[in-house]
Amino acid sequence: MIKLTEDKKRLLSNFFSVSLLQGVNMVLPLISLPYLIRVLGVENFGLVNFALSIVMYFDILVSFGFELSATREISIHQDNSKKVAEIFFAVMIIKSIMALISLSILSLLILFNDSLSQHPMLYYATFGVVIGNVVFPSWFFQGMERMKYITYINVTSRVIFTILIFIIVKESSDFIYVPILNSLGTIIGGIYSLWLIFKLFDLPFTIPNRGMIFSQLKDSYHFFLSRVANNGSRYYATTIIGIYFGNVAVGYYSIVEKLFYAFMSLGGIVSQTIYPYMSRTKNIPFFKKILFSTIAISIVILIPTIYFHNMLLDLIFNLQGEMLSNIFIIVFSGSIFGIASALVGYPLLAAFGHIKYANNSLIYASIFYIVYISISAIVFKNIYLVALSLVIYEATGLAFRLYYIQKEKLLQQGNS
């Protein structure tokens, strides 16, 4: 009988928790998306996703990379409740201030931008996800390596949200209810998570000093730049497509993108699970096994997915068309690059203290990406070149990370 250490038991528990969460995140959209596309139409579906792409820039600002920096700090000090409390309250204060700044900027955009002013309530309703970001400290649970609580809360809220979609959204004009329900789910889940934290972890109430607050900002700054590069570039594509190609093109691209990131979540599951563990143990042989097995599984799944993609799109969404098919093939061809990049980024480079390398790789890739996508849309006005930009971004980010890994000879190291 194989005996597992407490570390391995916790790692296994976290893996199954994150796997369940990501599995639900993959399955539920496949249930609600076809319904939304049929009821709202591709154009209104594109409008909802265009609004989301705008609001998610503020979500990135509010996150400020704390899902990585605060996770790391809490995982290191998880046995010191006073230190954990200082980190927790400092991050919550920063995120709250960022949310107020973001809401003010959004209000100005709605006031002075003709496109946004046509649907002001849509953008304010979508902004609820930013409020949910503030009140749901998933980074705390991840740092404490108690990811099952994240799973319980997220799965429950997403299931309820999905059910309500079918009950409330009945016609194309009901598109406003999609962001409202989504926002309510994240906010209510966040409030419950705060109650859970104070009940289970006995955090002493702490007013962080200015030094602690600025320390958290400084520690997270490079993570924030990386998130701007990684997530910001993702939403930049949707924004550009909406401006230059219209809401129908946004609708098609959003469908493929959601399927793409559902597939990419395989890398996210593994990365989120092993990041705290690798930060503590620096176990390279273990990492190698995880890396190669994950990539192998991804390839086995990807090949039939691309081969049967037309059947898949027709079966799930009842949609066919040259534009949708071409975008699917182009975007999915970059998925292995993205999964590999996620695995060698924070669980390897950042875990070994090379945070700047992990972050800068995405920053450099995003600069190239933004220039490329802007030229593709503005100069060539070609939607397929725009879709290809996602592949270029993932491949470039991976190339930079592999260069840094080779430079530091990380994979040649043994157990610490």
Side-chain angles (χ1 to χ4, degrees), residues 83-128:
K83 183 68 174 180
V84 169
E86 289 177 351
I87 297 168
F88 174 80
F89 285 106
V91 172
M92 292 299 288
I93 288 172
I94 295 169
K95 288 168 75 75
S96 299
I97 293 172
M98 295 288 194
L100 289 173
I101 294 172
S102 298
L103 183 59
S104 300
I105 296 172
L106 177 64
S107 298
L108 290 173
L109 288 173
I110 291 172
L111 187 62
F112 294 107
N113 184 281
D114 292 337
S115 177
L116 272 63
S117 63
Q118 293 178 24
H119 302 282
M121 291 309 300
L122 174 63
Y123 293 93
Y124 283 124
T126 307
F127 189 81

Side-chain angles (χ1 to χ4, degrees), residues 15-318:
F15 173 77
F16 283 118
S17 295
V18 177
S19 296
L20 176 60
L21 176 58
Q22 295 292 355
V24 169
N25 288 342
M26 289 170 64
V27 172
L28 290 184
L30 297 180
I31 297 173
S32 61
L33 276 179
Y35 178 78
L36 286 175
I37 292 167
R38 285 195 297 269
V39 173
L40 300 182
V42 174
E43 186 170 2
N44 276 346
F45 180 75
L47 175 62
V48 169
N49 280 277
F50 179 75
L52 182 63
S53 73
I54 298 296
V55 169
M56 290 310 289
Y57 293 118
F58 300 114
D59 191 72
I60 294 169
L61 175 63
V62 169
S63 293
F64 208 77
F66 291 124
E67 67 273 23
L68 292 169
S69 66
T71 294
R72 183 195 62 195
E73 290 299 306
I74 289 176
S75 71
I76 293 171
H77 301 287
Q78 60 184 236
D79 295 325
N80 185 340
S81 60
K82 182 180 178 182
K83 183 68 174 180
V84 169
E86 289 177 351
I87 297 168
F88 174 80
F89 285 106
V91 172
M92 292 299 288
I93 288 172
I94 295 169
K95 288 168 75 75
S96 299
I97 293 172
M98 295 288 194
L100 289 173
I101 294 172
S102 298
L103 183 59
S104 300
I105 296 172
L106 177 64
S107 298
L108 290 173
L109 288 173
I110 291 172
L111 187 62
F112 294 107
N113 184 281
D114 292 337
S115 177
L116 272 63
S117 63
Q118 293 178 24
H119 302 282
M121 291 309 300
L122 174 63
Y123 293 93
Y124 283 124
T126 307
F127 189 81
V129 299
V130 179
I131 306 301
N133 182 323
V134 175
V135 298
F136 190 179
S138 59
W139 43 270
F140 176 87
F141 292 105
Q142 190 177 351
M144 296 297 290
E145 297 186 70
R146 297 294 187 271
M147 297 177 197
K148 63 182 180 180
Y149 298 114
I150 302 175
T151 302
Y152 297 154
I153 296 168
N154 270 308
V155 168
T156 302
S157 64
R158 287 180 181 276
V159 168
I160 293 173
F161 162 72
T162 302
I163 293 171
L164 289 175
I165 284 288
F166 290 97
I167 295 173
I168 295 175
V169 179
K170 295 296 184 181
E171 54 188 41
S172 61
S173 60
D174 291 338
F175 64 86
I176 187 66
Y177 295 122
V178 177
I180 289 175
L181 292 172
N182 192 25
S183 296
L184 285 176
T186 58
I187 292 171
I188 294 171
I191 293 171
Y192 178 72
S193 74
L194 290 175
W195 174 81
L196 207 58
I197 286 172
F198 290 110
K199 180 185 177 183
L200 297 178
F201 297 96
D202 195 29
L203 286 187
F205 179 76
T206 304
I207 300 177
N209 57 41
R210 188 178 300 175
M212 170 59 73
I213 291 174
F214 280 108
S215 174
Q216 292 303 314
L217 282 169
K218 181 181 177 182
D219 289 346
S220 197
Y221 177 69
H222 282 283
F223 288 113
F224 167 64
L225 292 181
S226 172
R227 279 300 181 248
V228 170
N230 192 20
N231 294 346
S233 60
R234 171 183 173 182
Y235 301 117
Y236 181 73
T238 306
T239 305
I240 286 292
I241 291 172
I243 292 172
Y244 289 96
F245 301 98
N247 289 330
V248 173
V250 172
Y252 285 140
Y253 182 80
S254 297
I255 291 168
V256 174
E257 184 190 48
K258 290 181 187 302
L259 293 173
F260 172 77
Y261 284 109
F263 180 77
M264 286 271 289
S265 66
L266 177 61
I269 291 170
V270 179
S271 178
Q272 289 178 48
T273 302
I274 69 173
Y275 175 53
Y277 174 79
M278 286 297 297
S279 294
R280 290 187 294 107
T281 66
K282 312 292 191 296
N283 190 337
I284 286 294
F286 168 81
F287 175 81
K288 286 181 179 179
K289 293 177 183 177
I290 296 296
L291 173 66
F292 295 122
S293 60
T294 304
I295 291 175
I297 292 170
S298 301
I299 293 172
V300 169
I301 299 173
L302 178 64
I303 293 172
T305 299
I306 291 181
Y307 187 80
F308 295 107
H309 76 279
N310 279 321
M311 185 186 302
L312 179 70
L313 293 170
D314 188 28
L315 179 66
I316 298 176
F317 302 106
N318 194 28

